[in-house]
Every structure is written in C-alpha cells, then in structure tokens.
Amino acid sequence: MKPIEPHHDCRPVSEILHQIGGKWTVLIINKLSEGPMRFGEIKRVIGGISQKVLTATLRDLEMDGFVTRTVTPSIPPRVDYELTELGRDLQGPLQALGNWAVNNRPKVIAARMRYFDAHPDARPKPKGRVVLHRPMQAAE
C-alpha cells in the first residue's frame, strides 16, 4: 500500500463526499437516472422529503454541476430537472456503493451484534442508522 504523503489534503475529498453522500442526494440522483423529472414528481417518488429540503438539495446539485434545471414558460411554469454528464458519471460509483452496502449489510449487522455482546454498556447511535442491539436487562 502506498504511504500517504504528509502534504496530502483530504478537504477536497471530504467536501465532495459530504455533498454526494447525503441520503437525499443519492435518492435524487438515482431517480433522475431514469430521465428528466419535474419537482413534484421527484417529491412524490422519493417520499418523506420536505419541499424545503428537496429545493435545497436540488439547488446544491445544480450548483455543483450534477443536475440541470430547465424552466419552460407556461402557466404554471414547468421546471424539469435532469442529470448532467457529471451526474450520470456519478451513478456508477453510487450504484457500486449501494450494491456493496446491500451485499455486506448482514456482515455489518453481525459485527454490530458481536460488539454489543462484548460491550453491554455501549450506546448505539441511532441517527440515520439501523441499530441493532441487545436489550438491556432491567435493574433489579
């Protein structure tokens, strides 16, 4: 394995991973891979996302060059979102990561169970995770 050079800066990688690693970003890119969609369609097929969060996420994806926003003058105005070439290029790595997650989830869950068995006082972190732990026994 190649050693990391002392002047290596992780900030660019961290910045991009922060944007593309978000729960909603992955779902939006996945849905837009099927073709252009209107705002309401995206909101309906994703489910659980607020209008405010969807608007902000689409704006960030547009700003970073993953999505284009096209307004067609009509009453009401039609707004379509579509993946750019950069957005389509991102689909491969996201799909690979998704496949890895699905294939390895049982191993992660098993490791988590072993950890909680060995560390009964450990507290799971519930935010955005499937947390499996052994129920704590009631104090007697």
Side-chain angles (χ1 to χ4, degrees):
M1 190 157 105
K2 182 179 171 184
I4 297 175
E5 298 177 22
H7 67 278
H8 180 74
D9 185 355
C10 294
R11 285 178 289 188
V13 174
S14 176
E15 176 186 324
I16 297 299
L17 287 177
H18 178 75
Q19 171 59 25
I20 65 172
K23 169 171 94 170
W24 301 117
T25 298
V26 172
L27 293 172
I28 291 168
I29 288 175
N30 183 42
K31 289 302 172 188
L32 288 177
S33 70
E34 300 167 9
M37 296 179 82
R38 296 176 77 173
F39 183 92
E41 291 176 291
I42 298 168
K43 188 170 184 328
R44 191 172 34 260
V45 297
I46 289 180
I49 188 170
S50 71
Q51 184 167 332
K52 180 180 177 181
V53 171
L54 179 56
T55 298
T57 305
L58 285 167
R59 197 170 288 146
D60 287 345
L61 288 170
E62 182 182 12
M63 176 182 65
D64 290 344
F66 296 113
V67 169
T68 59
R69 179 181 184 267
T70 305
V71 179
T72 304
S74 62
I75 299 177
R78 178 183 173 108
V79 180
D80 290 290
Y81 294 90
E82 185 174 9
L83 291 179
T84 63
E85 183 178 335
L86 185 61
R88 287 188 300 275
D89 191 43
L90 180 58
Q91 286 177 274
L94 288 180
Q95 185 171 3
L97 183 58
N99 289 341
W100 183 92
V102 168
N103 293 335
N104 288 285
R105 185 172 185 263
K107 293 176 189 173
V108 171
I109 290 171
R112 207 172 278 161
M113 298 301 282
R114 287 190 305 274
Y115 180 86
F116 288 128
D117 284 345
H119 303 87
D121 293 333
R123 297 280 184 240
K125 296 178 183 173
K127 187 175 181 179
R129 301 177 124 184
V130 174
V131 178
L132 299 175
H133 63 282
R134 302 271 187 233
M136 296 179 73
Q137 300 208 351
E140 295 183 16

